[in-house]
């Protein structure tokens, strides 16, 4: 039985649970116990604070875990990152009061920086030869400069709204993070194929996110042009239509380029374009 550690309550919990669900690993989380057996797959879900997930996986308490890359880096536990999961995107950045003149990293020499990520920060400052003091604060790091606890902060930024509302500006983006799948170094051999299976399913779910399946009618003379626009994974599917000289072309595109692709396809003569959602894609 594989045991998977995920965040109990917080920004990554819902996305972690729904990713597992879409991969066929269902749990009834209404029970809110800290260890739940999946009803659909031989797996258990262990609900932890995100800070504790790298250690739980390193110790073998869980076989794999879903956690922010920032936590993996900060904790420095002996775990292997086996996949990026495409959600929980953020960065860990240095920010200073917005009125400050900032000309480069030397700004931080002799300054005090508040953070919940002292290990990442001290390594970064050392690499850059900057001599700053670090104050470790667990919550609400962004208020530290305003209350005189620090000159600057090193914290997670996503939209940047929190910085703005606290009168701060982001000046250095140090780490780019997202949720990652981690594995312990000593997973027993008999669990490896079960782990591979889970990794394969999570990949398929992640890769199908934001994909659209396109079907259209296209004059045969224009097929080559259309293939250049929507090349698909290997190549699009072309099927003859009952009407002579026309074919049906099927392909897959990323949602963020869907509208521009549709415009281009119309220009080369595509008609009757249908757009469908992709539930899963297995590469
Ligand atoms: O209780 P537990 O210890 O499990 O949770 P936690 O409070 O330590 O973590 P949580 O739930 O806040 O975040 C879990 C993970 O989500 C982080 O480790 C990151 O990998 C990821 N993540 C993604 C974020 C954000 N985006 C984010 N915006 N974590 C925190 N924030 C904070 C940020 O620090 C800021 O204060 O959200 C606030 C809003 O950000 P803006 O820039 O959008 O305003
Ligand atoms: Zn935490």
């Amino acid at each position: 039985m594989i045991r998977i550690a995920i965040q109990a309550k917080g920004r990554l919990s819902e996305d972690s649970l729904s990713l597992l669900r879409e991969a066929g690993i269902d749990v009834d989380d209404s029970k809110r116990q800290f260890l739940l057996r999946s009803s659909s797959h031989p797996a258990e879900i262990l609900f932890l604070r995100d800070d504790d997930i790298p250690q739980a996986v390193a110790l073998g308490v869980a076989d794999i875990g879903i956690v922010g890359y920032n936590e993996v880096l900060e904790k420095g536990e002996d775990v292997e990152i086996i996949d990026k999961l495409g959600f929980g995107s953020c960065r860990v950045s240095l920010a200073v009061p917005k009125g400050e003149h900032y000309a480069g990293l030397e700004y931080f020499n002799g300054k005090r920086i508040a953070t919940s990520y002292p290990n990442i920060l001290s390594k970064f400052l050392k690499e850059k030869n900057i001599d700053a003091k670090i104050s470790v604060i667990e919550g609400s790091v962004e208020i530290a400069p305003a209350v005189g606890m620090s000159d600057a902060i090193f914290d997670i930024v996503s939209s940047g709204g929190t910085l703005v509302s606290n009168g701060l500006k982001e000046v250095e983006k140090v780490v780019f993070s997202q949720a990652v799948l981690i594995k312990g170094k000593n997973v027993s051999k008999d669990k490896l194929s079960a782990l591979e299976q889970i990794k394969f399913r999570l990949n398929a779910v992640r890769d199908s996110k934001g994909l659209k399946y396109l079907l259209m009618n296209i004059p045969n003379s224009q097929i080559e042009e259309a293939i250049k626009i929507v090349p698909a994974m290997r190549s699009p599917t072309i099927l003859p239509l009952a009407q002579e000289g026309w074919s049906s072309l099927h392909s897959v595109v990323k949602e963020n380029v869907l509208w521009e692709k549709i415009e281009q396809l119309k220009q080369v003569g595509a008609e009757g374009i249908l757009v469908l959602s992709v539930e899963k894609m297995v590469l």
Side-chain angles (χ1 to χ4, degrees):
M1 171 106 61
I2 296 290
R3 191 179 283 172
I4 308 167
I6 68 169
Q7 192 187 24
K9 229 172 98 194
R11 282 164 195 275
L12 303 180
S13 347
E14 280 310 311
D15 284 342
S16 303
L17 272 177
S18 64
L19 178 65
L20 290 173
R21 230 168 240 144
E22 286 178 60
I25 306 168
D26 263 314
V27 282
D28 177 8
D29 66 316
S30 63
K31 293 195 189 123
R32 279 290 166 205
Q33 287 163 0
F34 107 113
L35 187 63
L36 284 179
R37 174 76 215 270
S38 165
S39 50
S40 58
H41 194 85
E44 285 173 329
I45 312 293
L46 178 62
F47 295 89
L48 296 176
R49 283 199 60 184
D50 65 346
D51 312 59
D52 299 331
I53 293 175
Q55 191 183 17
V57 171
L59 291 174
V61 174
D63 301 299
I64 50 177
I66 297 177
V67 66
Y69 174 63
N70 51 306
E71 286 299 332
V72 179
L73 209 56
E74 176 62 24
K75 296 294 186 280
E77 295 285 348
D78 197 12
V79 295
E80 194 184 322
I81 294 174
I82 50 177
D83 240 320
K84 295 178 180 167
L85 298 172
F87 63 90
S89 298
C90 58
R91 50 209 188 257
V92 196
S93 297
L94 282 160
V96 303
K98 69 169 188 284
E100 289 289 296
H101 172 69
Y102 181 81
L105 276 176
E106 301 73 42
Y107 172 91
F108 293 103
N109 274 317
K111 295 278 200 298
R112 183 177 288 278
I113 309 171
T115 188
S116 315
Y117 296 94
N119 295 329
I120 300 176
L121 180 59
S122 63
K123 186 162 173 270
F124 174 74
L125 294 174
K126 205 165 165 201
E127 270 167 24
K128 302 288 179 187
N129 259 319
I130 302 294
D131 186 19
K133 294 191 185 64
I134 298 177
S135 291
V136 181
I137 300 186
E138 283 309 331
S140 302
V141 172
E142 65 279 358
I143 64 162
V147 299
M149 281 178 81
S150 71
D151 303 299
I153 67 164
F154 178 64
D155 199 12
I156 293 182
V157 181
S158 132
S159 67
T162 301
L163 291 185
V164 171
S165 56
N166 286 281
L168 300 167
K169 62 179 176 188
E170 185 177 17
V171 292
E172 301 284 343
K173 297 171 184 168
V174 176
V175 172
F176 289 86
S177 178
Q178 61 175 282
V180 291
L181 186 67
I182 57 173
K183 159 177 159 308
K185 293 272 168 72
N186 300 315
V187 174
S188 63
K189 278 212 177 100
D190 53 317
K191 285 186 175 173
L192 283 177
S193 70
L195 278 188
E196 275 308 310
Q197 187 189 32
I198 291 176
K199 187 180 158 201
F200 172 80
R201 291 189 189 184
L202 295 180
N203 267 330
V205 175
R206 180 202 57 199
D207 292 343
S208 59
K209 291 238 184 297
L211 286 180
K212 296 288 171 192
Y213 192 83
L214 281 184
L215 297 95
M216 72 208 74
N217 298 332
I218 184 103
N220 289 346
S221 58
Q222 294 298 92
I223 289 175
E224 267 183 40
E225 287 304 311
I227 291 177
K228 284 185 203 151
I229 299 166
V230 283
M233 277 174 284
R234 192 179 295 274
S235 91
T237 305
I238 314 282
L239 300 168
L241 287 189
Q243 185 182 344
E244 186 105 1
W246 282 76
S247 294
S248 168
L249 185 150
H250 302 202
S251 191
V252 173
V253 299
K254 289 225 160 82
E255 193 170 12
N256 58 352
V257 294
L258 177 67
W259 288 107
E260 68 188 75
K261 295 286 181 193
I262 287 179
E263 290 306 321
Q264 292 167 9
L265 288 165
K266 276 163 64 186
Q267 274 169 22
V268 301
E271 288 179 5
I273 303 173
L274 266 182
V275 182
L276 307 176
S277 294
V278 175
E279 184 133 339
K280 307 261 187 308
M281 185 174 79
V282 176
L283 292 169

